[in-house]
Amino acid sequence: MEVLQVKITSPYNSLLCSSNASLVDQIYSLSKMLKSYAEQLLQKYLNSQGYPFNWSGFNPKLKPIPGLPEAEEQVLENLSKTECLQQDYIACVSISKFLAVVLEDQKDLNPLDTDFLKRLTESPAQIQGMTSNLNDIMTVMSIPIPDVTLQSIQSPSSSFDKKVFGYQDCKTYYEQMLWMEKEFALMNRS
Amino acid sequence: MALIQIIQTMFTAALVGFKECQGYEFTTYPPQIVNMSTDSFLQQLFVEWNVSHLAYEAQVNMTFQIQLTRSENLELVVMKNYSKSLKKTDTVLRWVWESDLPLECTSHSIRIRSIVDDKKYLDAKIWSEWSEWKTIWGLDTANITEASVFPDEKIVKEGTNITFCCIIPKGARIQRMTYGQKIFPVIFKNNRTTAIKVHNVPIPKNGNSNLICTWTMNKTRTHDGTVLFVGNPPDVPRNLTCETQDLREMICSWHPGKATNLITEYSIFEQFSGKYSPCTESRESSSSYRCKWVINSTQENYNLTVKAKNYLGESESSIFVDVFHKVHPLQPSEFKVAAINATAVTVYWCLNANYSIIQLLCQTEIYMKNKTAKLHYSSLEGQLPSICYSTAVGNLHPYTNYSFRTRCATAKHFWKWSAWSEKESLVTDQMVPSMAPDTWIQIVEGNGGHNVKILWKTLPDSVANGRIDHYSIRWTTSQVGKSDSTVKYIPANTTNITVFISNEQCRIEVKARTSVGWSPPSVILIPHITENEVIEEGRVSATGDGLCLSWKHDPYVIDGYVVDWCNSPFSPGCDLQWKKIPSNATSVIIKSAKFKPGLRYRFGIYGFKIDGAHLLEKKVGYIKELAPEMSPSIHITETKPHIIVMNWTYPANDEMQPGFIKGYYVYVRRRHATCIQYSERNSFSDSTDCQKIKIEEPKQKSYVLRDLKPNTEYLLMVTAFTAGGESPGESTIQVGTTNDNEAVVYKVIFWVFGIAAVMVSLVTLGIWKKTWFKMTLCPDIPNPNKSMVLKLGSPLMKAHAESPTLKMSPCIINKLEVLRLIRDQVTLDAKLHKIISAEKSSSFMFPEEYQFEAKYQPFHYVSQMYPTCNSEQNLGFVTHLTASIIGTESFTDVLYPCNMSAWITSQNHLNMDFEINQYSEHIINHHQLCSIAQSDYASTKDNCFEHSSGYKPQVQIISSVCKEEIPSFSNTTHTEEPSDVKKIS
């Protein structure tokens, strides 16, 4: 049995009692779907970059990228639900923009891998759907929509670093969706 | 100032000239490195140096020796001489060196010295001093905290050899370097830099490959790397073609050839106009590239060059295009079809381009279901995009569903057909049926007239020309002076009607009607019916899937023949079918999917004469004959000692028979005889036990079996057969012939008289030839006492005196060998072969194992025994053995020669012991000892060793009988052989 360590605070409960359960259900379904997409994208990304990215033991030391959210569960758990939803919103917007940069890098690095490029192209639009849903639920809960203004994202100059950069983005995307699926599963169950 | 310079120059020249005149002073111009730089991407090192301006002024030829070293240890890499004729205009000297190792990997140092290499200074050649070392410091000397991998972002051609290096911070350690998934040997290494060389790099699967440097510092493992792009220069564009669809722009397409694996840019250059257009949309699509070129309305001819370019190179391919020769029209749009009449339509379509300056050839496909499509061509003037095109299509069939589509090409310079338009379907209008319904009649006699069933077939679509609404049936009976006509209208879904007509001649008309009008009438005349003529039925044979009917030509037939038959001959409706045949034909093959094997079909052949249809012939046949299902029932009408008369009943002409009965088989078998196969005959003879008599007359229902044995039981059976086989043999009856008492009496009399006659003859002959019989059957036997061998002093005696065979001694059997036992003629196991010692004993017992074998069941055995004589005591003798089974049966004494194998047989003995008595001494006492070396001597009780003179010996004595050796038996095997018995091989 899976045990999720998520704190439930009053704003959540007020939401759960409302008539917007279908909206929560919808976001939960979407998060499940996006988690699946993100997992496929990450796998496809690693396969497209060649060895050692496609090697199961590859675990490069990743440096924090300015503007890219850190989807660490321990960090997210300690947030209030309002902060949590706001953080989800910021993460979705940011990841979407980072993936657009990754796409441009990959057009040069893997110009012939059309299937992978297509999947990468579709990802920002899919995340945009989640952003829109988060916007709706935060509006219902009267949570202020955070203003996300990202400075221009600089991709590394070296091709190898670009690959690592893209890996970090795709990994964050997957981890964020993994977290959100758990978060909204709990919300939906409640 | 200028004056000072002039003076200085003059002074210098004078000084040089002075030195030259001296002849012993050496002129050197030591170089001085002024600059040193690198191009990291190209891995090139540039060095600039200078020499004294006097050398430039003197314009001397100089050779510079350049030393290039790597790393801080100054490991020499290059030692190169560089010659140069100095000019006054030269300000600096340059040398470029391309390194296989990225220049960042380690420090590179250079120093140069020079020598004047000029004819003028032949005697004064000497190297100058080396310049100071000039160094480009590598990253391995820098204080870095992260590892670096070089070359970075390198693009190389497939098959290139490339060197990578990894520079790590101080205190770190390189764990490994991998390219792809392989580890390569290190070609350069110092404290902080490690380099590997990869030979012949292939094109990676993912477009590029990663060089990974794994290093550790403070037990932390880190990956750093670089990406190497491997590809090829662009191939020459192949199969370049350019065409236009709308006469506004041309689309050029080509095959890119060998994959470059790199981003390759294409562009088009037109030579006549000098215009250039990049191909921004020329992405790879199903291995074909496309690029557009805008057509100039005032230019008809184009010389187009497609150029391909990537980092590694470029290529191009050209084509000359006359734009009007390469028109590939657009797909027709707004396609429509409209009916003109029942057999013609108009098709319309539009082409969304300005073709007003060309002629078009358009092709319209007319497709009818289950038919081959027809093509209709039309040549049309090209139109502006606003004007559509149309063409009329004729020769269509009325009331038929057609589908149409159209495509176009240029008529004058055909290049390609356009894509087909969308399909459009249309049903043409109806017309009157073009043919009369196919009609026939079936007449059944009635009181005062006939019931006539009028049948007709539904008109096929090809002649119906529309939907049949109903049929009109008119029958008119004609008598002298008057006629009577009746009309009936029948719905379209009915195809027969039964009417009663009198015996007078009758005319029947059948017509079909569509919404447009009536078909022509189908007319059948029924002649004045008188008494029916009896017509014999002929048989027809099957030909594969049909029945072949033929008939005699009838000169009075004027309007062809009709063959009719029933598809279901035994069903009430009969499902009457007919086929009309022209007057000149006299045969036809009737086929029907409903024909079944084993069903009898009847055919009527009618001829249309001037007064109507007459039945000419009748035929009957099977599509395939089957074997009869029932066999005849047999009755025996008479039995005699040698004759059985049998009858049977069978419905040979029954309509239901699955074939024409061709005859019968009569099976005759003697009781208790086993019949694997019956011998087929045309008549019965009592030579074999199993016979099969074939009767090829279906009307014959009896058979007489003659020449049978009296007082014998027979089994009889009768089957019927057709061309399809024989009926199953169901019932067999048993019949016995009676006793033939007269024959028995005759036989007894014959044998009594016969034997008496023979006896009398023999007695008479015996008396008459008494002396001759005696001499022949009982001649005088020679006397052995008269033998020369035993006569003392005879030469033969002397000759054999020393022969061991003549030495006489008593013979005692000391060994008896039971060689094998045979049970039921099968040799028992070989281990039964034992040597049984009988030395100093007059009897022996069978070993236990023999008894054991014998206990279980009665058996017949044969034992082969071999007595061995003691040679020291016997010269030769005859051994008398007695074998007996103790307690059950004794054998009769048998006389055996010594050393001959003896076969003793018995049977049905249980739990037996075996005793052998030997009476050799007794025999020796009673018999005169005989010994002879040859077998041509015979002995009897009273005489021995007399030459036989042709007499056969009663007992043959072998010359070697008393030797110790035992003759071997080729068919026996000794499993255990005692040491005291020798075996002769």
Side-chain angles (χ1 to χ4, degrees):
Chain A
M1 194 173 110
E2 192 179 16
V3 178
L4 297 172
Q5 296 178 347
V6 177
K7 292 175 184 174
I8 301 176
T9 52
S10 54
Y12 252 28
N13 296 332
S14 67
L15 170 73
L16 301 176
C17 297
S18 73
S19 59
N20 292 304
S22 62
L23 186 57
V24 174
D25 188 54
Q26 185 178 314
I27 295 175
Y28 172 59
S29 301
L30 188 60
S31 65
K32 276 202 297 186
M33 190 178 74
L34 287 189
K35 188 202 82 176
S36 170
Y37 285 170
E39 188 177 9
Q40 290 170 23
L41 178 70
L42 179 60
Q43 195 58 48
K44 189 78 185 165
Y45 183 89
L46 291 173
N47 286 338
S48 299
Q49 308 313 311
Y51 183 85
F53 291 88
N54 54 5
W55 174 49
S56 57
F58 180 63
N59 187 21
K61 189 179 177 184
L62 303 175
K63 300 169 195 167
I65 298 174
L68 185 68
E70 289 182 22
E72 288 182 17
E73 204 167 315
Q74 290 176 345
V75 177
L76 295 168
E77 277 175 6
N78 294 323
L79 297 177
S80 70
K81 295 309 155 191
T82 302
E83 288 170 337
C84 204
L85 283 172
Q86 284 178 329
Q87 183 58 38
D88 290 343
Y89 182 84
I90 293 167
C92 285
V93 173
S94 306
I95 290 168
S96 171
K97 291 184 177 175
F98 271 91
L99 287 179
V101 175
V102 174
L103 173 64
E104 291 307 312
D105 288 345
Q106 291 299 318
K107 279 180 182 173
D108 291 333
L109 289 168
N110 286 298
L112 303 178
D113 196 345
T114 49
D115 185 36
F116 164 59
L117 292 176
K118 183 170 177 285
R119 196 176 285 270
L120 198 53
T121 308
E122 291 166 353
S123 295
Q126 290 162 352
I127 300 169
Q128 186 59 41
M130 175 59 89
T131 311
S132 177
N133 278 274
L134 286 171
N135 196 329
D136 292 348
I137 203 165
M138 288 162 77
T139 306
V140 169
M141 293 172 72
S142 304
I143 297 171
I145 310 294
D147 182 24
V148 187
T149 49
L150 271 178
Q151 293 179 344
S152 63
I153 300 166
Q154 288 294 323
S155 175
S157 56
S158 147
S159 294
F160 184 76
D161 292 341
K162 281 179 197 289
K163 288 186 174 185
V164 177
F165 172 78
Y167 165 63
Q168 204 166 346
D169 294 344
C170 293
K171 186 166 173 279
T172 305
Y173 173 34
Y174 171 63
E175 286 169 351
Q176 181 65 34
M177 291 304 136
L178 196 66
W179 160 254
M180 287 175 69
E181 189 206 9
K182 288 180 181 177
E183 181 188 351
F184 285 97
L186 190 63
M187 200 190 287
N188 196 31
R189 210 179 298 163
S190 304
Chain B
M1 191 68 182
L3 182 64
I4 293 169
Q5 282 185 342
I6 292 168
I7 291 167
Q8 190 179 7
T9 307
M10 287 177 67
F11 176 75
T12 308
L15 185 64
V16 169
F18 174 75
K19 286 183 176 174
E20 286 173 355
C21 291
Q22 292 295 311
Y24 58 89
E25 286 195 33
F26 303 113
T27 306
T28 58
Y29 298 108
Q32 188 175 8
I33 297 171
V34 293
N35 191 25
M36 195 170 161
S37 60
T38 58
D39 182 327
S40 178
F41 192 74
L42 296 172
Q43 293 180 202
Q44 287 178 337
L45 187 147
F46 304 94
V47 59
E48 292 178 349
W49 70 94
N50 223 332
V51 290
S52 166
H53 67 280
L54 294 175
Y56 298 115
E57 291 293 333
Q59 299 189 34
V60 292
N61 293 332
M62 292 190 74
T63 297
F64 299 94
Q65 195 168 54
I66 304 165
Q67 276 190 346
L68 191 144
T69 61
R70 267 187 192 144
S71 84
E72 293 168 351
N73 300 329
L74 300 178
E75 294 166 10
L76 184 64
V77 179
V78 172
M79 181 86 166
K80 177 97 180 170
N81 284 347
Y82 168 72
S83 295
K84 169 84 177 168
S85 294
L86 301 187
K87 294 174 186 172
K88 286 182 180 175
T89 53
D90 290 338
T91 55
V92 71
L93 299 164
R94 295 184 183 89
W95 181 69
V96 181
W97 176 69
E98 191 171 328
S99 173
D100 57 340
L101 181 73
L103 296 169
E104 295 86 350
C105 298
T106 188
S107 301
H108 289 77
S109 301
I110 281 183
R111 69 176 180 172
I112 306 170
R113 66 179 178 173
S114 68
I115 189 169
V116 176
D117 189 16
D118 204 305
K119 290 176 183 174
K120 290 180 280 185
Y121 303 94
L122 280 176
D123 300 328
K125 283 175 115 182
I126 189 168
W127 283 107
S128 71
E129 292 293 319
W130 284 103
S131 68
E132 292 291 322
W133 284 105
K134 188 78 174 178
T135 302
I136 295 281
W137 298 106
L139 272 179
D140 56 345
T141 60
N143 189 17
I144 53 173
T145 55
E146 296 287 334
S148 298
V149 182
F150 291 97
D152 192 22
E153 308 297 301
K154 189 86 173 174
I155 303 172
V156 296
K157 192 177 171 184
E158 179 187 11
T160 307
N161 301 331
I162 188 159
T163 305
F164 296 96
C165 75
C166 179
I167 308 151
I168 52 172
K170 274 184 185 173
R173 192 171 62 85
I174 288 184
Q175 207 169 34
R176 66 166 178 269
M177 286 178 74
T178 56
Y179 176 74
Q181 294 186 38
K182 291 182 183 171
I183 298 171
F184 290 86
V186 172
I187 61 159
F188 176 82
K189 187 172 176 63
N190 63 22
N191 286 342
R192 293 176 54 193
T193 297
T194 302
I196 61 167
K197 189 162 191 175
V198 180
H199 293 272
N200 195 18
V201 286
I203 290 186
K205 190 181 171 187
N206 297 321
N208 52 64
S209 210
N210 305 317
L211 183 286
I212 302 296
C213 177
T214 308
W215 56 283
T216 55
M217 191 169 183
N218 301 330
K219 296 182 180 178
T220 306
R221 196 170 66 172
T222 311
H223 299 282
D224 276 292
T226 186
V227 178
L228 181 74
F229 294 86
V230 186
N232 284 306
D235 205 350
V236 175
R238 298 171 188 175
N239 305 330
L240 174 62
T241 58
C242 296
E243 63 181 27
T244 178
Q245 284 201 295
D246 55 5
L247 292 172
R248 287 188 300 171
E249 61 181 22
M250 260 191 289
I251 295 170
C252 293
S253 59
W254 63 91
H255 189 278
K258 188 180 178 184
T260 64
N261 207 45
L262 298 173
I263 294 173
T264 303
E265 292 174 353
Y266 288 89
S267 61
I268 294 184
F269 174 73
E270 204 285 303
Q271 197 177 3
F272 299 140
S273 63
K275 286 183 180 175
Y276 163 86
S277 172
C279 300
T280 52
E281 297 176 5
S282 60
R283 281 277 174 190
E284 196 166 3
S285 167
S286 62
S287 70
S288 175
Y289 281 65
R290 291 159 65 88
C291 191
K292 288 180 182 175
W293 180 265
V294 177
I295 293 172
N296 185 348
S297 59
T298 59
Q299 188 181 353
E300 184 179 337
N301 296 322
Y302 295 83
N303 194 352
L304 299 165
T305 301
V306 171
K307 294 185 175 181
K309 186 179 179 183
N310 68 12
Y311 178 81
L312 296 173
E314 54 187 86
S315 65
E316 61 181 42
S317 181
S318 299
I319 187 172
F320 177 84
V321 180
D322 181 337
V323 73
F324 293 110
H325 289 206
K326 302 288 181 184
V327 180
H328 181 198
L330 290 168
Q331 181 186 21
S333 57
E334 300 176 50
F335 186 74
K336 289 175 187 170
V337 186
I340 300 171
N341 55 39
T343 58
V345 296
T346 305
V347 292
Y348 302 90
W349 68 94
C350 299
L351 295 169
N352 192 22
N354 182 2
Y355 296 127
S356 57
I357 51 175
I358 58 171
Q359 183 87 14
L360 290 172
L361 173 69
C362 293
Q363 185 185 57
T364 301
E365 184 189 72
I366 306 141
Y367 175 74
M368 194 164 62
K369 194 178 178 184
N370 301 328
K371 293 280 176 68
T372 309
K374 290 179 185 173
L375 294 171
H376 171 86
Y377 291 90
S378 50
S379 182
L380 303 163
E381 290 291 334
Q383 303 292 340
L384 291 169
S386 55
I387 302 171
C388 287
Y389 302 80
S390 68
T391 186
V393 178
N395 292 327
L396 302 178
H397 195 271
Y399 198 59
T400 305
N401 190 358
Y402 288 98
S403 63
F404 303 86
R405 61 178 182 169
T406 293
R407 62 181 178 177
C408 294
T410 48
K412 196 173 178 184
H413 304 289
F414 181 87
W415 169 238
K416 279 181 185 173
W417 286 110
S418 70
W420 285 104
S421 67
E422 295 293 317
K423 274 188 179 177
E424 195 69 26
S425 296
L426 178 136
V427 179
T428 50
D429 293 341
Q430 295 189 50
M431 282 177 66
V432 293
S434 54
M435 277 183 67
D438 186 1
T439 308
W440 185 234
I441 52 169
Q442 188 178 22
I443 300 172
V444 181
E445 287 185 20
N447 287 331
H450 299 86
N451 287 317
V452 177
K453 187 176 184 180
I454 305 165
L455 305 102
W456 59 93
K457 293 176 183 170
T458 308
L459 282 172
D461 292 342
S462 58
V463 295
N465 294 343
R467 189 168 56 82
I468 302 299
D469 289 338
H470 56 267
Y471 297 94
S472 143
I473 317 296
R474 175 190 295 272
W475 64 97
T476 308
T477 51
S478 303
Q479 292 178 11
V480 182
K482 70 168 188 177
S483 65
D484 186 14
S485 183
T486 311
V487 181
K488 270 198 171 183
Y489 296 101
I490 310 295
N493 57 0
T494 306
T495 55
N496 65 74
I497 180 177
T498 302
V499 298
F500 182 81
I501 59 174
S502 64
N503 289 334
E504 301 305 320
Q505 190 184 41
C506 180
R507 174 189 170 92
I508 296 169
E509 283 183 16
V510 179
K511 291 192 289 184
R513 183 181 166 82
T514 65
S515 61
V516 180
W518 289 102
S519 71
S522 172
V523 179
I524 291 178
L525 285 176
I526 301 174
H528 174 71
I529 295 170
T530 55
E531 287 187 3
N532 287 338
E533 185 185 351
V534 176
I535 297 172
E536 285 288 323
E537 276 185 342
R539 288 185 179 178
V540 290
S541 54
T543 54
D545 55 346
L547 284 155
C548 182
L549 274 67
S550 59
W551 57 89
K552 288 179 185 172
H553 174 70
D554 190 331
Y556 298 106
V557 172
I558 57 168
D559 199 15
Y561 300 91
V562 166
V563 176
D564 72 358
W565 71 94
C566 289
N567 265 349
S568 306
F570 304 112
S571 67
C574 153
D575 189 14
L576 186 71
Q577 303 293 315
W578 67 94
K579 187 169 184 177
K580 290 189 174 172
I581 294 128
S583 305
N584 56 356
T586 55
S587 67
V588 67
I589 293 175
I590 304 294
K591 293 182 180 179
S592 171
K594 293 186 176 178
F595 282 159
K596 291 177 183 170
L599 263 185
R600 185 177 290 188
Y601 294 97
R602 294 182 180 283
F603 299 87
I605 298 163
Y606 298 84
F608 287 106
K609 297 182 180 177
I610 195 164
D611 60 336
H614 290 263
L615 177 63
L616 304 178
E617 291 185 29
K618 289 180 180 178
K619 302 283 182 187
V620 63
Y622 295 84
I623 191 73
K624 184 184 178 188
E625 290 188 55
L626 300 179
E629 292 171 356
M630 288 169 47
S631 289
S633 359
I634 314 169
H635 311 283
I636 304 301
T637 53
E638 187 179 356
T639 55
K640 290 184 177 176
H642 300 284
I643 293 172
I644 294 173
V645 181
M646 55 193 292
N647 291 327
W648 59 87
T649 56
Y650 194 69
N653 292 323
D654 191 344
E655 290 278 317
M656 301 300 286
Q657 288 289 3
F660 297 117
I661 301 296
K662 297 176 81 173
Y664 307 93
Y665 287 112
V666 177
Y667 289 83
V668 183
R669 175 160 73 95
R670 272 203 199 108
R671 195 183 169 199
H672 303 306
T674 304
C675 293
I676 298 167
Q677 191 175 3
Y678 283 85
S679 58
E680 188 172 325
R681 297 164 184 274
N682 288 325
S683 61
F684 179 80
S685 76
D686 200 28
S687 56
T688 58
D689 289 343
C690 307
Q691 290 186 52
K692 178 181 177 184
I693 302 118
K694 187 175 187 180
I695 300 167
E696 292 184 286
E697 174 52 68
K699 291 178 182 174
Q700 182 177 336
K701 300 285 178 64
S702 65
Y703 193 76
V704 179
L705 299 169
R706 300 178 190 282
D707 302 328
L708 298 172
K709 288 184 179 172
N711 196 23
T712 307
E713 293 291 324
Y714 290 92
L715 297 173
L716 306 176
M717 184 176 76
V718 177
T719 61
F721 66 92
T722 67
E726 189 181 345
S727 67
E730 286 168 344
S731 55
T732 303
I733 62 167
Q734 183 179 327
V735 186
T737 49
T738 53
N739 285 331
D740 192 352
N741 298 329
E742 287 180 12
V744 172
V745 172
Y746 289 142
K747 275 182 185 173
V748 169
I749 293 169
F750 173 79
W751 282 108
V752 166
F753 279 98
I755 290 166
V758 170
M759 293 296 288
V760 169
S761 300
L762 286 173
V763 168
T764 309
L765 189 65
I767 294 167
W768 185 36
K769 290 285 185 182
K770 180 181 175 184
T771 310
W772 181 83
F773 272 114
K774 184 174 180 282
M775 292 302 292
T776 303
L777 300 176
C778 304
D780 289 337
I781 297 171
N783 189 347
N785 292 327
K786 297 172 183 176
S787 171
M788 293 295 290
V789 175
L790 300 175
K791 201 169 197 176
L792 291 173
S794 73
L796 194 60
M797 183 67 171
K798 285 176 182 176
H800 293 278
E802 298 303 319
S803 173
T805 56
L806 292 179
K807 289 179 181 175
M808 298 176 199
S809 61
C811 181
I812 299 168
I813 293 173
N814 54 5
K815 287 186 178 63
L816 185 65
E817 184 179 1
V818 177
L819 294 175
R820 56 180 173 173
L821 288 175
I822 300 172
R823 192 178 91 181
D824 289 336
Q825 303 304 320
V826 178
T827 305
L828 291 177
D829 194 279
K831 69 185 179 182
L832 295 180
H833 182 147
K834 297 283 182 183
I835 300 295
I836 301 160
S837 176
E839 197 170 8
K840 296 177 182 177
S841 172
S842 60
S843 66
F844 70 93
M845 302 291 283
F846 260 85
E848 275 298 315
E849 57 193 296
Y850 294 3
Q851 294 177 24
F852 179 80
E853 283 291 335
K855 279 177 184 175
Y856 288 93
Q857 62 183 72
F859 71 106
H860 172 87
Y861 71 88
V862 176
S863 63
Q864 188 178 16
M865 308 183 72
Y866 192 89
T868 307
C869 300
N870 187 335
S871 63
E872 293 174 357
Q873 297 172 359
N874 292 284
L875 283 174
F877 57 91
V878 175
T879 300
H880 199 168
L881 295 178
T882 299
S884 65
I885 307 299
I886 294 172
T888 309
E889 184 181 336
S890 296
F891 284 92
T892 307
D893 288 358
V894 184
L895 188 65
Y896 289 104
C898 187
N899 271 10
M900 290 289 284
S901 59
W903 289 91
I904 303 166
T905 62
S906 182
Q907 59 184 357
N908 296 335
H909 296 296
L910 290 169
N911 199 14
M912 62 189 173
D913 291 326
F914 201 85
E915 184 181 3
I916 294 179
N917 301 310
Q918 61 101 341
Y919 297 96
S920 56
E921 286 179 303
H922 173 75
I923 295 298
I924 289 167
N925 291 337
H926 281 78
H927 285 229
Q928 188 173 357
L929 293 175
C930 298
S931 176
I932 197 159
Q934 296 179 12
S935 61
D936 284 345
Y937 289 81
S939 69
T940 65
K941 184 177 178 183
D942 298 320
N943 53 29
C944 68
F945 307 132
E946 186 174 293
H947 195 274
S948 65
S949 303
Y951 288 99
K952 298 294 175 188
Q954 293 170 334
V955 176
Q956 187 178 22
I957 302 171
I958 306 300
S959 61
S960 58
V961 290
C962 290
K963 286 182 181 177
E964 288 184 357
E965 293 134 332
I966 303 166
S968 66
F969 291 83
S970 59
N971 57 347
T972 61
T973 306
H974 292 257
T975 55
E976 192 181 325
E977 195 169 42
S979 59
D980 55 344
V981 177
K982 288 182 184 174
K983 183 178 177 184
I984 295 172
S985 59

